[in-house]
């Protein structure tokens, strides 16, 4: 089975599961970096603040600052920002990636560290500003780059403890703080960096989870809206197809009545009548809205449910195997016969039959907490070129199915038998022409089946089949329910007595 329309990408199927248990190192970030415009604005603010501080300390308080050294460090930041502004104009405001954001924040850490080294090191109260770049990194960058920024600040703290000019003060006054004080300031700065970065990381992670939940909810709502639109199309199709189906049935009955002496023609007419009846039953089931407690919601054994799903697809050149395996040999559970489950699983089995070579296996696996249904075929497997788009409407590379090819062969054989030929010469059997798929190859099969199955609480995933080496691997589609979502509730005494 290679259900191009029916198999979602394994990467997509496993993304939610992997994201749920992923470690903090791989936790995604909303932007994977800040925009270049934001970085430029933040640096201009820092440049203005640094320049104002140096000028006030020199002109107003008459501190003995290494003025030209401080201005040179600030000028380097100005040059960096002018270059970033020019890049911003060329890229028309494109977002910076994580690497570029980390490079800018790393430069800010080095620039601030140099400025602090010229103005007293850890004795300078402005050393607390080293916390800012790490906080920004923790809130906007992936884990590796955020940790790298934190390590840079810790290394700068150690360097400032050992290598820094004396703290500038008024002329004729010198302040020489003891090493223990500088050690305490360094320890406080390190603690502040770690805890502030961790706090920013957790806040950003919670915001990411909320945004992911919102995006998931919007996706579900969009799928529901598309399903509602498809429901309207189905209702219109059922209405429009009613008249031609009735005409086909009338003509088929007339042909069956008139071909009493012709076995081949009677068989063809019976086949047409049977398929028309099947189409009418399908349309009737799709438009049916049974009340709660009706037959559509009856309780059946899990194997009986799977047999019901497989039964319409038997009779062609495929072998179907249905099995149920329970933990510790306990009896198979009784499940609710939901129309969504019947239709969804039937679509998966039909696709398996279309792509299988010789065999389709439908297995039910039951343990203490879950009920799994696997549909496995021995076909060619998934095409790699359309995997990223699988599961969306109107995506398909579906070939003609085996069932439809077999039906086409029967019709072609009937036409060949009825066609007049030359005397003494048997006409060659014409090549059977493929009949269009049941859904026209529009790529709606898996989209509808997945939505219906997930509506019942199931989780659909795909993978490779169980083909041996040198043989096609085939494909496997699995649906997992928590047992309370699918299993029928225990029978009450009254219902047991009625049974």
């Amino acid at each position: 089975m290679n259900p191009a329309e029916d198999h979602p990408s394994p990467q997509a199927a496993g993304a939610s599961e992997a994201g749920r248990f992923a470690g903090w190192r791989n936790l995604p970030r909303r932007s994977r970096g800040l925009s270049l415009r934001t970085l430029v604005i933040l640096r201009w603010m820092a440049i203005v603040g640094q320049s104002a501080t140096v000028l006030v300390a020199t002109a107003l308080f008459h501190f003995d600052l290494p003025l030209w050294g401080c201005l040179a460090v600030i000028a380097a930041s100005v040059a960096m920002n002018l270059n970033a502004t020019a890049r911003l104009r060329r890229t028309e405001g494109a977002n910076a990636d994580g690497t570029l954001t980390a490079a800018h924040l790393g430069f800010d850490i080095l620039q601030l560290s140099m400025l602090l080294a010229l103005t007293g090191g850890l004795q300078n109260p402005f050393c607390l500003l080293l916390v800012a770049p790490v906080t920004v990194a923790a809130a906007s960058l992936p884990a590796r780059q955020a940790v790298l920024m934190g390590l840079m600040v810790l290394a700068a703290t150690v360097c400032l403890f050992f290598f820094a000019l004396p703290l500038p003060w008024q002329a004729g006054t010198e302040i020489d703080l003891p090493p223990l004080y500088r050690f305490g300031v360094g320890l406080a700065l390190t603690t502040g960096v770690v805890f502030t970065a961790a706090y920013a990381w957790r806040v950003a992670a919670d915001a990411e989870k909320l945004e992911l939940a919102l995006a998931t909810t919007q996706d579900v709502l969009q799928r529901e809206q598309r399903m509602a639109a498809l429901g309207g199309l189905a209702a219109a199709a059922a209405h429009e197809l009613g008249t031609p189906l009735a005409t086909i049935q009338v003509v088929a009955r007339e042909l069956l009545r008139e071909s009493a002496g012709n076995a081949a023609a009677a068989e063809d007419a019976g086949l047409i009548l049977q398929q028309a009846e099947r189409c009418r039953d399908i349309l009737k089931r799709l438009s049916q809205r049974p009340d709660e407690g009706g037959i559509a919601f009856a309780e059946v054994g899990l194997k009986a449910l799977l047999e019901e799903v497989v039964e319409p697809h038997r009779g062609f050149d495929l072998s179907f195997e249905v099995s149920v395996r329970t933990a510790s040999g306990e009896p198979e559970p009784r499940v609710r016969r939901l129309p969504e489950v019947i239709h969804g699983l039937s679509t998966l089995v039909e696709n398996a039959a279309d792509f299988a070579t010789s065999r389709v296996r439908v297995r039910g696996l039951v343990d203490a907490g879950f009920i799994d249904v696997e549909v496995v075929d021995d076909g060619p497997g998934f095409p790699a070129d359309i995997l990223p788009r699988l599961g969306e409407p109107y995506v398909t590379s579906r070939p003609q199915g085996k069932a439809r090819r077999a039906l086409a062969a029967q019709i072609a054989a009937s036409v060949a038998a009825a066609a007049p030929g030359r005397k003494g010469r048997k006409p060659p059997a014409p090549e059977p022409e493929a009949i269009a798929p049941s859904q026209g190859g529009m790529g709606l099969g898996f989209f509808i089946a997945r939505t219906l199955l997930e509506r019942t609480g199931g989780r659909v995933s795909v993978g490779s089949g169980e083909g041996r080496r040198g043989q096609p691997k085939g494909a496997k589609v699995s649906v997992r329910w928590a047992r309370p979502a699918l299993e029928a509730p225990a029978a009450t005494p009254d219902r047991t007595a009625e049974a």
Side-chain angles (χ1 to χ4, degrees), residues 299 488-496:
E299 302 173 5
T492 61
D494 294 338
R495 292 175 61 183
T496 305

Side-chain angles (χ1 to χ4, degrees), residues 15 19 84 88 106-107 164 186 206 216 223 241 271 304-305 318 364 393 397 419 427 458 460:
L88 180 62
F107 172 82
D206 291 341
T216 304
R223 287 168 52 191
L241 289 175
L271 178 62
L305 178 72
L318 291 176
S397 65
V460 182

